[in-house]
């Protein structure tokens, strides 16, 4: 039937996310996108309008699917200080796995495109705000349960953890030595422990 789509939009975006994640925006050609997505150029432009349109759709998809898996535990109603510790331990382990050399698409975009591209910058701004809010949520819960010292400014500490996560993501993208990434994560956890009113598990 004319007009029937012979592809799944979500699957196309999964492929686009990985291509942009590995190559970046500038080094991803339209030809590479057509090859990777497995659709012809006409279909790609009909669906997304342009390479820029596809890129922004990939960022939205990444935020909804990938980041929700990473940040979901920190955004949960029962998140606490151990949730933050687990997040950074997970990043430390990632240095020896599949994310090494890929990093985070949003973090990569912050470095490559945010200063040049207003569309990308809007996504990056929301990403940074979301990360900070997730940490603030976990810290507030920790303070409410008595895990966190009452004197701690949860917004300042949340901003610190957000920037630490972005920094670790950049290290993963750069394929920094795993020991370096893991040391950075341990320092972040130690700082959290110093603000805790209870002995960490």
């Amino acid at each position: 039937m004319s007009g029937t789509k012979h592809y799944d939009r979500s699957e196309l975006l999964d492929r686009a996310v990985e291509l942009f994640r590995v190559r970046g925006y500038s080094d991803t050609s339209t030809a590479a996108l057509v090859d990777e997505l497995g659709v012809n150029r006409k279909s790609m432009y009909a669906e997304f309008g342009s390479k820029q349109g596809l890129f922004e759709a990939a960022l939205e998809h990444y935020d909804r699917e990938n980041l929700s898996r990473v940040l979901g535990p920190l955004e949960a109603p029962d998140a606490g200080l151990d949730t933050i510790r687990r997040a950074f331990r997970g990043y430390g382990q990632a240095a020896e796995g599949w994310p090494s050399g890929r990093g985070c698409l949003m973090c990569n975009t912050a470095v490559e495109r945010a200063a040049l591209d207003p569309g990308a910058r809007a996504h990056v701004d929301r990403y940074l705000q979301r990360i900070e809010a997730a940490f603030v949520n976990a810290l507030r819960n920790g303070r409410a349960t008595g895990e966190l010292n009452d004197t701690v400014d949860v917004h300042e500490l949340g901003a610190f953890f957000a920037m630490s996560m972005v920094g670790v993501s950049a290290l993963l993208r750069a394929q920094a030595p795993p020991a370096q990434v893991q040391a950075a994560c341990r320092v972040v956890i130690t700082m959290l422990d110093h603000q805790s009113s209870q002995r960490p598990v």
Side-chain angles (χ1 to χ4, degrees):
M1 180 182 296
S2 177
T4 301
K5 295 181 180 179
H6 299 286
Y7 55 83
D8 182 282
R9 192 175 194 271
S10 182
E11 289 181 4
L12 292 187
L13 289 172
D14 283 338
R15 295 174 193 164
V17 161
E18 288 312 305
L19 195 59
F20 285 127
R21 192 175 185 177
V22 172
R23 295 192 180 187
Y25 179 87
S26 297
D27 287 342
T28 301
S29 66
T30 301
L33 285 166
V34 168
D35 288 344
E36 182 65 25
L37 271 56
V39 297
N40 60 45
R41 191 179 300 249
K42 181 179 179 181
S43 295
M44 188 184 80
Y45 281 119
E47 184 69 39
F48 300 106
S50 63
K51 176 184 169 181
Q52 177 71 22
L54 172 55
F55 182 60
E56 293 194 28
L59 291 174
E60 291 174 5
H61 184 74
Y62 185 81
D63 181 60
R64 185 171 57 252
E65 302 295 332
N66 300 59
L67 288 182
S68 291
R69 287 196 296 271
V70 173
L71 297 178
L74 291 165
E75 295 172 328
D78 60 349
L81 302 196
D82 276 342
T83 314
I84 297 174
R85 294 184 183 103
R86 284 194 295 271
F88 281 100
R89 287 176 188 140
Y91 268 73
Q93 293 168 357
E96 298 184 275
W98 178 83
S100 179
R102 288 179 169 84
C104 164
L105 177 61
M106 286 289 190
C107 179
N108 299 349
T109 301
V111 174
E112 181 193 10
R113 299 292 300 167
L116 307 171
D117 172 6
R121 183 169 62 246
H123 287 282
V124 169
D125 286 346
R126 286 192 293 271
Y127 156 69
L128 296 176
Q129 291 167 11
R130 183 179 181 184
I131 295 176
E132 182 174 341
F135 281 116
V136 169
N137 174 64
L139 291 166
R140 277 179 174 159
N141 290 342
R143 188 165 62 186
T145 58
E147 293 179 273
L148 191 67
N149 290 324
D150 290 339
T151 58
V152 172
D153 185 321
V154 295
H155 291 283
E156 285 194 358
L157 194 56
F160 170 78
F161 288 141
M163 293 304 99
S164 297
M165 181 170 280
V166 170
V168 170
S169 295
L171 290 175
L172 291 175
R173 171 64 168 167
Q175 292 185 297
Q180 187 179 49
V181 178
Q182 291 158 4
C185 291
R186 284 195 300 271
V187 169
V188 173
I189 293 170
T190 297
M191 174 170 280
L192 176 62
D193 293 343
H194 287 164
Q195 306 300 326
S196 175
S197 59
Q198 299 177 4
R199 189 178 183 86
V201 177

